[in-house]
Amino acid sequence: MSQLSRLISILTLLRSKRLLTATELADKFDVSIRTIYRDIRKLEDAGIPVMTIEGKGYSLMEGYTVAPVQFTEKQANALITAQHLVNQTNDVSFSNDFKDAMTKIKSVFKTSVQEKSELLSSKIYVFDSNYENISSNALSEIQIAITNFNYVDINYRKADDPNISFRRIEPYAFYSTNHKWILIAWCHLRNDYRAFRIDRVQNFKILNDTFEDRKFNLQTYFQSCPFDNK
């Protein structure tokens, strides 16, 4: 059983209002108690309110319910396929947030749909002939900055340039090409819109200060200077 399947099964058991010990869960899933500890932390990290009752076991916070959403098999398959594509983005923050979201979503799958979605997942592989082993870890944070209009300070290294420059930017939009995320932002150093590859952002800081919306339009930007991602 995969970790994701086990997490969903643990959540399903906890939703049945049962009080479960780590030993009971370890025996049920034929794993170590340490593995169960990691699973519980994973559920907690995903926002599931698991309560630890000292000396007794685990239960869900009183009143916690999962929204009564039902997914068809085709819809579940679409989500499973999307997860494989998301894993190709090479941005750790985005992949982890999507994985946590999928843990919550799969907890409401019917048992038959869960089983079939896991089967499908084992039969999908995404090849990328232009693969570059360059990862990033900024996408999720900068997405929040976009919707809240926060300034972002970045240290940025352009292609084929060993020098790192400091930029204060107003983030506006993203697009993806060749499995790389490109951020469009107003650059205060250049006093104009610029495109920044997220995997070339060396460091970043989301500021509390906010900027006034310049009413940026992505379609208009592409018409004026398409795919400038240096």
Side-chain angles (χ1 to χ4, degrees):
M1 176 182 285
S2 69
Q3 183 193 41
L4 184 56
S5 297
R6 192 171 61 252
L7 289 173
I8 294 170
S9 297
I10 292 172
L11 180 56
T12 300
L13 290 172
L14 292 174
R15 286 173 59 202
S16 69
K17 307 297 183 182
R18 294 180 58 187
L19 184 64
L20 299 166
T21 67
T23 300
E24 288 174 329
L25 291 170
D27 290 342
K28 180 174 181 60
F29 297 109
D30 194 26
V31 296
S32 68
I33 292 178
R34 182 169 294 182
T35 296
I36 295 300
Y37 291 158
R38 288 196 294 265
D39 288 345
I40 294 298
R41 284 197 297 271
K42 191 70 175 176
L43 288 172
E44 292 172 338
D45 291 342
I48 308 298
V50 180
M51 306 294 291
T52 302
I53 303 175
E54 195 66 32
K56 294 185 177 181
Y58 302 108
S59 67
L60 285 180
M61 179 183 292
E62 186 68 28
Y64 173 76
T65 58
V66 179
V69 178
Q70 294 296 325
F71 292 88
T72 66
E73 185 176 346
K74 286 184 178 180
Q75 291 169 339
N77 289 346
L79 289 167
I80 292 297
T81 304
Q83 186 168 18
H84 282 266
L85 296 174
V86 165
N87 289 339
Q88 298 298 306
T89 66
N90 287 340
D91 187 272
V92 176
S93 65
F94 183 63
S95 296
N96 286 343
D97 285 338
F98 191 88
K99 185 184 298 182
D100 289 343
M102 284 298 295
T103 298
K104 294 180 181 180
I105 290 171
K106 288 185 177 183
S107 71
V108 301
F109 284 178
K110 292 185 297 185
T111 301
S112 60
V113 174
Q114 285 182 17
E115 293 173 349
K116 290 180 180 180
S117 68
E118 289 299 314
L119 175 62
L120 178 65
S121 183
S122 69
K123 296 178 180 295
I124 296 176
Y125 191 85
V126 179
F127 288 95
D128 181 8
S129 58
N130 297 316
Y131 179 75
E132 280 187 80
N133 189 22
I134 303 175
S135 62
S136 61
N137 193 23
L139 185 60
S140 289
E141 294 291 336
I142 295 179
Q143 285 176 333
I144 295 295
I146 287 176
T147 56
N148 289 281
F149 301 99
N150 293 108
Y151 286 106
V152 181
D153 286 347
I154 63 173
N155 290 325
Y156 190 74
R157 183 181 62 80
K158 296 175 65 174
D160 303 319
D161 186 347
N163 298 312
I164 296 175
S165 62
F166 170 81
R167 312 287 185 100
R168 174 157 294 179
I169 61 173
E170 301 171 12
Y172 279 102
F174 280 107
Y175 68 89
S176 178
T177 178
N178 296 324
H179 302 297
K180 300 175 184 65
W181 285 102
I182 314 300
L183 169 67
I184 309 300
W186 180 270
C187 176
H188 283 255
L189 178 65
R190 304 303 183 194
N191 200 33
D192 198 357
Y193 290 109
R194 287 291 187 270
F196 301 95
R197 263 181 55 171
I198 294 298
D199 56 13
R200 291 185 182 142
V201 175
Q202 305 298 299
N203 301 99
F204 70 96
K205 181 179 180 181
I206 311 297
L207 305 182
N208 291 327
D209 294 338
T210 58
F211 56 85
E212 185 175 348
D213 187 6
R214 297 176 187 268
K215 307 301 181 184
F216 174 82
N217 182 279
L218 191 59
Q219 184 174 359
T220 301
Y221 173 83
F222 282 144
Q223 290 172 348
S224 60
C225 49
F227 303 107
D228 174 20
N229 59 359
K230 298 297 184 182

